[in-house]
Amino acid sequence: MKTSITELLNIKYPIFQGGMAWVADGDLAGAVSNAGGLGIIGGGNAPKEVVKANIDRVKAITDKPFGVNIMLLSPFADDIVDLVIEEGVKVVTTGAGNPGKYMERLHAAGITVIPVVPSVALAKRMEKLGVDAVIAEGMEAGGHIGKLTTMTLVRQVVDAVTIPVIGAGGVADGRGAAAVFMLGAEAVQVGTRFVVATESNAHPAFKERILKAKDIDSVVSASVVGHPVRALKNKLSTAYSQAEKDFLAGKKTAEEIEELGAGALKNAVVDGDVVNGSVMAGQIAGLVSKEESCEDILKDIYYGAANVIRQEALRWADVPE
Ligand code: TUI
């Protein structure tokens, strides 16, 4: 089974592992790439040396293609662009902004550039800029999100651009992946399910919250200051919702709300503080109930999608054209 994305990137499965800050380190990305998906190191807010160590780790695990996600709100974004060029990284995804100012240098270095887009307008702007593909990520996703759902965003982006579209947000198994392929995507990106992979170094308490989560356990915080973030409900999300009320009443500044989030993701992922930290996860966490290897996760999604697509095709086979 081939798609324009498996061909473009020379990977076996049309499945990306999301470049999640603090979670998507060299061990996770290396395991995913080695098993035939596209592993992606999450640059997050990390400085160049930290991302370099993760690139070294992936290179020690596999010689298959992998990517680096550049989080464009990071104070180190410029440095990470230098780094991916120096290290000969083949694929860069971007998040939380417009990568326009880096495009020329990335392409001159032969890097395939794939930004996350939350809207049709940005997808079209990115296509004009010459990006190689776009990731249409719906608001079911964990972390920093846009406003549209995966169902509506992927379909409309596919209609609006001619470059390949990767669908993301709410995909954790074969059925979800098949649905996104039906919308016209050439690959899917999966985050939350890989957080609980055996090879993921996320703190056991962080994994446990995802494994135990129900469908309605995530909330979106900080929308009022322009950076909506989806995470599982806890003391921090309650504090956010109070602070947002205070902000709307003119009793708190945007900076005070942003401060609540500073370091909160690291506290949860690395130190396991799932009470006061930010347990970023997608709405599909309710379906994720088992810790498995990256290889098993990739196979389950790939063969699961194939099975449901075949079943459904059979059901429709007698309908005249
Ligand atoms: O970036 C993500 N997910 C993230 S980043 C992150 S770290 C962070 N923590 C707190 C606040 C902000 C960031 C945690 N999770 N996903 C990709 C994504 N990109 N989602 C939405 C966007 C996006 C939003 C606006 C992409 C482009 C964009 O463009 C605005 C513009 O410049 O036109």
Side-chain angles (χ1 to χ4, degrees):
M1 186 274 187
K2 289 185 169 132
T3 77
S4 57
I5 290 293
T6 60
E7 298 287 276
L8 177 71
L9 303 179
N10 196 23
I11 52 177
K12 180 172 178 198
Y13 303 125
I15 303 168
F16 292 11
Q17 158 255 311
M20 303 165 283
W22 291 108
V23 172
D25 61 7
D27 286 332
L28 184 66
V32 170
S33 283
N34 202 37
L38 186 74
I40 301 176
I41 295 165
N45 277 316
K48 192 173 176 181
E49 314 79 71
V50 172
V51 182
K52 159 96 169 65
N54 282 305
I55 293 174
D56 290 345
R57 182 83 187 115
V58 175
K59 287 178 177 172
I61 293 172
T62 187
D63 49 16
K64 300 213 173 113
F66 67 93
V68 172
N69 175 265
I70 304 179
M71 210 280 281
L72 294 167
L73 291 170
S74 165
F76 302 110
D78 287 359
D79 293 348
I80 308 303
V81 170
D82 294 341
L83 176 69
V84 293
I85 294 169
E86 287 157 21
E87 290 297 314
V89 171
K90 298 283 188 311
V91 186
V92 159
T93 63
T94 66
N98 181 338
K101 66 173 174 178
Y102 302 122
M103 271 307 296
E104 223 169 302
R105 284 181 63 216
L106 291 168
H107 265 173
I111 297 174
T112 299
V113 183
I114 313 183
V116 169
V117 294
S119 67
V120 164
L122 197 63
K124 285 180 166 171
R125 283 226 297 282
M126 293 300 105
E127 181 172 47
K128 276 210 191 94
L129 205 65
V131 305
D132 300 278
V134 290
I135 301 168
E137 183 188 273
M139 54 81 84
E140 296 94 320
H144 177 47
I145 52 173
K147 292 195 169 80
L148 294 174
T149 60
T150 301
M151 175 78 94
T152 57
L153 179 66
V154 174
R155 180 66 193 90
Q156 293 178 86
V157 169
V158 163
D159 192 58
V161 299
T162 59
I163 50 176
V165 176
I166 297 100
V171 180
D173 74 342
R175 281 190 182 278
V180 168
F181 276 101
M182 291 300 107
L183 298 173
E186 297 285 310
V188 295
Q189 176 165 284
V190 174
T192 304
R193 188 162 177 193
F194 282 115
V195 176
V196 304
T198 323
E199 296 91 339
S200 156
N201 294 312
H203 194 283
F206 193 98
K207 290 185 173 181
E208 196 60 19
R209 278 253 25 215
I210 290 176
L211 293 168
K212 295 246 166 82
K214 296 195 298 287
D215 53 352
I216 57 167
D217 285 352
S218 77
V219 281
V220 181
S221 298
S223 297
V224 293
V225 294
H227 292 141
V229 169
R230 181 181 300 286
L232 299 183
K233 286 180 204 166
N234 62 3
K235 223 167 152 181
L236 176 67
S237 66
T238 307
Y240 258 117
S241 91
Q242 185 55 51
E244 288 178 69
K245 281 185 198 134
D246 293 347
F247 173 80
L248 292 172
K251 290 191 278 182
K252 262 205 165 68
T253 63
E255 289 71 39
E256 285 174 289
I257 294 188
E258 303 275 10
E259 269 166 30
L260 279 177
L265 178 62
K266 178 179 184 237
N267 292 347
V269 176
V270 179
D271 302 330
D273 183 356
V274 294
V275 177
N276 297 297
S278 181
V279 188
M280 293 184 192
Q283 290 184 322
I284 203 66
L287 193 76
V288 176
S289 54
K290 211 160 62 177
E291 182 167 351
E292 292 164 287
S293 71
C294 291
E295 185 180 7
D296 287 350
I297 292 172
L298 287 167
K299 284 183 174 162
D300 179 63
I301 296 171
Y302 182 72
Y303 293 103
N307 283 335
V308 296
I309 290 167
R310 265 193 297 265
Q311 266 171 30
E312 201 58 26
L314 277 175
R315 248 172 18 154
W316 290 84
D318 293 338
V319 178
E321 282 185 25

